[in-house]
Amino acid sequence: MTSETSRDPLIVAVMKKTRLSWYWATTLVGAVIISLLILVTFLNGDYGYFSDLSFWRSLLDGPVMITYILVIYPFMWRLFKQAVEAFRSISPMEESDFNWLVAEITTPNRHREWAAILIGAVFALLTIAPWSVSMDSDAGLKVYELILQMLLFGLLGWLIYDTIVGTMRIARLSRQELKLDIFDTELLAPVALWSLGISLVWVGGISLSLVFQTWEDMTEWQNITIYSILVSATVLAFFISMWSTHKAMAGVKKRELSLAWKNLAAASRELKNRTARNQTEGIEELSYTITAWSAQHKLVQEISAWPFNASIIRRLAVSILAPITVFLIKIIPRIGISW
C-alpha cells in the first residue's frame, strides 16, 4: 500500500515537506523570489532600475506567475478529488474495491513528473538561449532571469502534464461499469465543475500574463496568434476533459432510446395487427402504451449527454471574456492604460 504522500502530486508532496500551511509556504516562496530580485538588482549597482516601471514589469512576470500557479493549484486538486468521488455513488463496486481503484489510478509517476519539469526548463533554456547573449553587463540580473524562467516553465510543464494525467484518470473511471441514470445527470456535475476549473485556471493565467505584456508586444501578429490559440485550446480542454464521461452517458442514452423505440415499435405493430383483424379488445391499453413509450423516447432524446448545465457554460463564456478584455485594454490607446 502506498503512503498518502506518495499518492500526492509532486508539488503537493513538496509543499507538505515544508511543514507549513499551503498558503504560508506559497507566501514564503514568493517572498524569497522577490527578495532575491531586489538583492540582485542592488548588487548590480544601477539603482535607477528601482524606479524603472518597464524593468519591474519585465522581471515580475515570473514571480507573479509562479505564485499564481501555487495559489491556484489547491483549488484544482480539490475539484479533481470531488470529480473522482462523484463516481463512488454510481459505481457498483464494493467500497474497498473502489478505494483500491482510486488509489491505483491517482498514484503519480514521479519519474514522469520530474521529466515534465525538466522538459519545461529545457524549453525555457532554449528559448532564452543565454549563450547568444552578452554577459558583460547586468550579468547577475540575466542569470536571475534565466533561472526564474526555467523554474516557471518547469512548473508550467508539470501543470500541463498534471492536467493531461487528470483527464486520463477521469477517463479510466468513466470506462468502468457504472450505474448511470440519464435522468439524473447532476450526479456527474463535479466532473463538469472540475473541467470548468481547469479552464478558469488557464484563462486566469493567460489574463495575468497579458498584464505584463507591452503595447508593442500585444500588437504583434505572432503574439495575437499565440494567445488566440491558447484561449481556443482552453475552451477545447474543457470539452476534452469531459469527453470520456460524455461517451459513457451517450451510451446509456443510446440504450434508453433503443429500449423505448423497441417497445414503441412492438406496441405499434400489435395495434396495427389487431386493427387489421378488427379486434377491439386491448386497443385502448395499446394506445396508452404507444403514447407512453413515444413520450419516453422524446424525453430521452431531448436529454443532454453532457454532464454540465447552462450555468456552467455561462461561467465558461464569461471567463473567456477576461483575457479578451485585458487584451483590448492594452491595445486601445485612447483608453490611456497602455504601459
Side-chain angles (χ1 to χ4, degrees):
M1 178 67 71
T2 56
S3 66
E4 183 179 352
T5 302
S6 65
R7 292 200 301 267
D8 289 329
L10 179 60
I11 300 302
V12 176
V14 170
M15 296 295 268
K16 282 185 176 180
K17 288 185 178 298
T18 65
R19 300 188 180 278
L20 298 172
S21 70
W22 184 281
Y23 292 110
W24 273 114
T26 300
T27 302
L28 178 62
V29 170
V32 168
I33 293 174
I34 296 297
S35 297
L36 286 174
L37 172 58
I38 295 173
L39 177 62
V40 171
T41 304
F42 180 81
L43 293 176
N44 188 64
D46 191 344
Y47 304 122
Y49 282 144
F50 287 102
S51 59
D52 187 349
L53 182 61
S54 62
F55 167 78
W56 291 107
R57 184 192 59 234
S58 63
L59 284 181
L60 282 178
D61 183 15
V64 170
M65 293 303 299
I66 290 172
T67 304
Y68 169 77
I69 293 172
L70 294 179
V71 166
I72 209 69
Y73 189 74
F75 164 76
M76 295 177 64
W77 181 233
R78 183 168 60 251
L79 286 180
F80 173 74
K81 289 192 291 186
Q82 290 172 356
V84 169
E85 283 299 309
F87 288 91
R88 187 181 297 275
S89 61
I90 57 176
S91 173
M93 303 174 78
E94 294 291 336
E95 184 82 6
S96 58
D97 292 335
F98 184 82
N99 290 337
W100 180 86
L101 175 63
V102 170
E104 180 192 9
I105 67 175
T106 58
T107 300
N109 186 313
R110 286 285 186 258
H111 295 296
R112 293 178 181 176
E113 287 187 294
W114 281 113
I117 292 176
L118 180 61
I119 290 171
V122 170
F123 177 81
L125 182 64
L126 295 176
T127 301
I128 297 174
W131 50 84
S132 63
V133 179
S134 173
M135 289 290 183
D136 294 338
S137 62
D138 302 335
L141 286 171
K142 290 176 181 177
V143 170
Y144 171 86
E145 184 177 10
L146 173 62
I147 294 174
L148 190 66
Q149 289 301 311
M150 291 179 66
L151 177 61
L152 172 59
F153 276 84
L155 199 55
L156 282 172
W158 174 84
L159 189 62
I160 292 171
Y161 167 80
D162 184 73
T163 301
I164 295 172
V165 168
T167 301
M168 295 171 63
R169 289 167 174 169
I170 295 297
R172 182 170 173 183
L173 285 173
S174 299
R175 289 193 297 268
Q176 304 298 312
E177 182 182 351
L178 300 173
K179 299 180 294 183
L180 287 173
D181 184 356
I182 196 66
F183 298 104
D184 190 10
T185 57
E186 287 299 314
L187 287 174
L188 287 174
V191 178
L193 289 174
W194 169 68
S195 299
L196 177 64
I198 292 174
S199 300
L200 292 177
V201 166
W202 286 102
V203 166
I206 293 168
S207 303
L208 197 56
S209 175
L210 285 171
V211 171
F212 291 92
Q213 299 296 315
T214 64
W215 185 90
E216 291 77 11
D217 291 336
M218 294 306 307
T219 53
E220 292 181 357
W221 70 268
Q222 296 94 331
N223 285 328
I224 293 175
T225 302
I226 290 172
Y227 281 109
S228 297
I229 292 173
L230 286 174
V231 172
S232 300
T234 298
V235 177
L236 188 61
F238 171 78
F239 291 99
I240 290 177
S241 59
M242 289 190 298
W243 182 252
S244 57
T245 307
H246 163 68
K247 285 181 64 178
M249 293 178 65
V252 174
K253 181 176 179 177
K254 184 178 180 180
R255 290 194 294 271
E256 291 284 347
L257 284 172
S258 178
L259 176 63
W261 184 256
K262 180 180 178 180
N263 285 283
L264 176 59
S268 297
R269 283 193 296 269
E270 181 64 20
L271 178 63
K272 181 180 178 180
N273 291 336
R274 291 191 184 189
T275 302
R277 295 194 300 266
N278 292 321
Q279 294 180 353
T280 57
E281 183 181 355
I283 285 183
E284 186 176 357
E285 289 79 2
L286 279 172
S287 297
Y288 288 147
T289 300
I290 290 172
T291 300
W293 281 114
S294 178
Q296 173 77 352
H297 188 274
K298 181 180 179 182
L299 180 61
V300 173
Q301 202 166 33
E302 292 176 350
I303 292 176
S304 173
W306 290 94
F308 54 69
N309 51 37
S311 174
I312 290 176
I313 291 297
R314 282 196 300 270
R315 278 184 275 178
L316 175 65
V318 170
S319 71
I320 297 302
L321 293 176
I324 296 175
T325 301
V326 175
F327 180 81
L328 291 175
I329 289 175
K330 297 283 289 185
I331 68 169
I332 298 177
R334 70 171 180 268
I335 296 181
I337 307 181
S338 7
W339 289 13

